Every structure is written in structure tokens, then in C-alpha cells.
Amino acid sequence: MKTKGRCAKTRSIGVAGVATLLLLVYPAARADTLAGSIKQVKSSVVAVGTYHPTRTPRAKLTGTGFVIGDGRHVITNAHVLPDVLDGKNKERIAVFAGQGSKPEVITAETVALDRNYDIAVLKMRRRKLPALRLGRSRGVEEGRRVAFTGFPIGSVLGLYPVTHTGIVSAITPIAVPVPAARQLNPKLIRRMRSSYKVFQLDATAYPGNSGSPVFDPATAEVIGIVNKVFVQGTKEALLENPSGITYAIPIHYAKDLLKKKGITLAPE
């Protein structure tokens, strides 16, 4: 009986030892939760827009972006940026960091732009922020759980990051054939000629969410970029009232652009 007792005690210690070992091997259990991922992502999400010293208001928020790589580069949508800046009056592209009604204004410049995939990369001139890791988007399947964080209607609600969750409900071409030739327009024709697949999400994005990172809720790795206007305008060109469907550009297109421009993702 004593021998059995010792064996039972040994087995008990063994189980406890395995549990301890698992905690040592997987110390990031807290980070592998949506709450932990949101906390990580929020520190890297910024608002994007322009700053004009003589305008009222001086800051104009047009979308969201997120910090990558060395902490100075920001990915956003190309359509978030203005076509022309009022250089005479010192208007400039700006990144807005922090939370609340008085964010830090950081001057930035465009260092990479791909209008076909609606991706822009900015470089902040005098600041570094925590960076997000870019995950893999080519292997993403329908039904994959995702989240995205950004600034919906940021110019009205202020810089208070909002997170939405959902799934990848479809992987779909950016443009679909129209039933009649009279419904074609030059923009739609261009999109059909260079069609590629995007993620369709069942979570609703709002104006200001463009450029938000779509990330894995467990790891916080970015797998896509929310695109509220550019893709929707192509996919739903025939709808009188656009739907609440949200689309996202797979992150591998951004990776390709970064590689093409020689922008390193270190220290990822």
C-alpha cells in the first residue's frame, strides 16, 4: 500500500511538472487572447490624414494606419491620402498617435504607393512607435476568425480605437462581370482587367476604418488591410445603396510592395 501511495504521489508530481513545463514553453498564454491582442494592436494603430497650420480645424483625419518594421513606417490605403497637398500653405501628410481629443501630430512622407492594390506606405520623420508583425495571407481560408482595429468616423468621435470581430466570409475577386455592357464604366473596366482576390468580412467597417489592420485575434499578426471605399466602389458599383459588407486587401500585396521598394521589415 505504501508503494502504491508513493507511485500516486509520483504521478501527481509528474502531472504538476508537465503543467509547469507547459507554462514555461508557452509563456505568452495571456497574449494569445483577443484582449491581449487588442492591447498590442492599439499601441501600433494610428490615424492618418493631413495637417494644415492655418486651417480650422488644423488636423483632418481621413483614415487609419498601422506601424510596421522599424517603428517608423506606416501602412494605410492609398485612397486615404490626398491627391494634392496645399504646399504653399504648408499642408502636409500627418500621422496622429495617442488617444483622445489631443493626439500627437507626426509629420510623414509617402515612400511607397500602389494604387492598383490601394496600398500606401508612409515614413514618420521624427518618431518611432511599437510595430505590428505581418502574418501570412495566402493560406487564409474562409471561416477564419479575424479582428480589426481603427478609428471609425475619427474626425467626429476622436482618437478612440474601436475593434470589430468577425470571420473571413468569402475570398472574392475585386470586380465581377456586369450583366450589360451599358453598365460598364472606365473605372470598372480597369478593375476587371487587373482583378485580384480580396477578403470579404462579416464585420462592418465605417468611414475612417480604411487602412485598419485585420489581424489574427490570437497572435495579433496582420493578415489584411481594411478597405472601405476603394474595393466596395468596384464590387458594389451597381448598388444604389452600398451594403455594410467590409472588404480587406490581403497583406501579401503590401509585403510585395515593401520588398519592391527595399523597405525592410526588421526587426520582425
Side-chain angles (χ1 to χ4, degrees):
M1 295 296 292
K2 291 183 179 180
T3 302
K4 290 182 179 180
R6 285 197 297 270
C7 290
K9 185 176 181 180
T10 301
R11 285 197 299 271
S12 177
I13 292 173
V15 171
V18 171
T20 301
L21 179 60
L22 288 174
L23 288 174
L24 292 174
V25 174
Y26 300 103
R30 183 177 61 85
D32 291 341
T33 64
L34 178 58
S37 292
I38 290 174
K39 184 176 181 180
Q40 180 179 345
V41 170
K42 282 172 63 176
S43 65
S44 301
V45 168
V46 295
V48 176
T50 61
Y51 182 83
H52 194 308
T54 61
R55 180 177 61 198
T56 303
R58 295 179 182 180
K60 181 179 180 181
L61 279 59
T62 52
T64 301
F66 56 96
V67 182
I68 62 165
D70 61 0
R72 296 184 63 193
H73 288 84
V74 173
I75 290 179
T76 188
N77 287 152
H79 80 260
V80 164
L81 305 179
D83 293 329
V84 179
L85 288 171
D86 184 3
K88 182 178 180 181
N89 291 307
K90 298 182 180 180
E91 181 184 25
R92 53 191 184 272
I93 295 173
V95 167
F96 304 92
Q99 296 185 35
S101 58
K102 295 182 179 180
E104 178 183 1
V105 181
I106 307 170
T107 302
E109 60 180 333
T110 305
V111 293
L113 190 69
D114 190 325
R115 295 195 181 279
N116 185 48
Y117 297 108
D118 196 30
I119 298 171
V121 182
L122 309 177
K123 185 175 183 179
M124 296 181 287
R125 293 181 178 177
R126 54 172 182 79
R127 189 76 156 87
K128 283 189 176 184
L129 295 171
L132 292 178
R133 293 180 63 88
L134 304 186
R136 297 182 180 181
S137 54
R138 283 190 168 91
V140 170
E141 297 180 337
E142 295 173 357
R144 169 83 171 265
R145 292 192 177 278
V146 295
F148 60 85
T149 299
F151 300 104
I153 323 176
S155 58
V156 177
L157 302 180
L159 286 195
Y160 296 95
V162 178
T163 299
H164 297 81
T165 62
I167 64 169
V168 176
S169 55
I171 300 176
T172 175
I174 187 174
V176 294
V178 297
R182 66 178 180 274
Q183 295 172 315
L184 289 170
N185 58 58
K187 176 183 176 181
L188 196 55
I189 292 173
R190 287 195 299 271
R191 302 311 303 161
M192 291 176 66
R193 286 175 176 173
S194 58
S195 184
Y196 55 91
K197 291 187 176 181
V198 295
F199 300 143
Q200 180 176 314
L201 312 179
D202 71 339
T204 303
Y206 298 89
N209 268 128
S210 289
S212 298
V214 178
F215 59 92
D216 186 311
T219 65
E221 290 189 340
V222 181
I223 63 170
I225 310 163
V226 168
N227 188 301
K228 181 60 181 173
V229 176
F230 188 71
V231 176
Q232 190 173 43
T234 301
K235 291 282 293 181
E236 304 177 13
L238 305 183
L239 298 180
E240 182 178 351
N241 297 307
S243 71
I245 297 173
T246 296
Y247 301 98
I249 308 294
I251 199 62
H252 65 260
Y253 293 118
K255 285 184 173 181
D256 292 343
L257 178 61
L258 292 168
K259 183 177 180 181
K260 180 180 178 181
K261 295 297 182 179
I263 300 173
T264 179
L265 287 176
E268 290 191 4

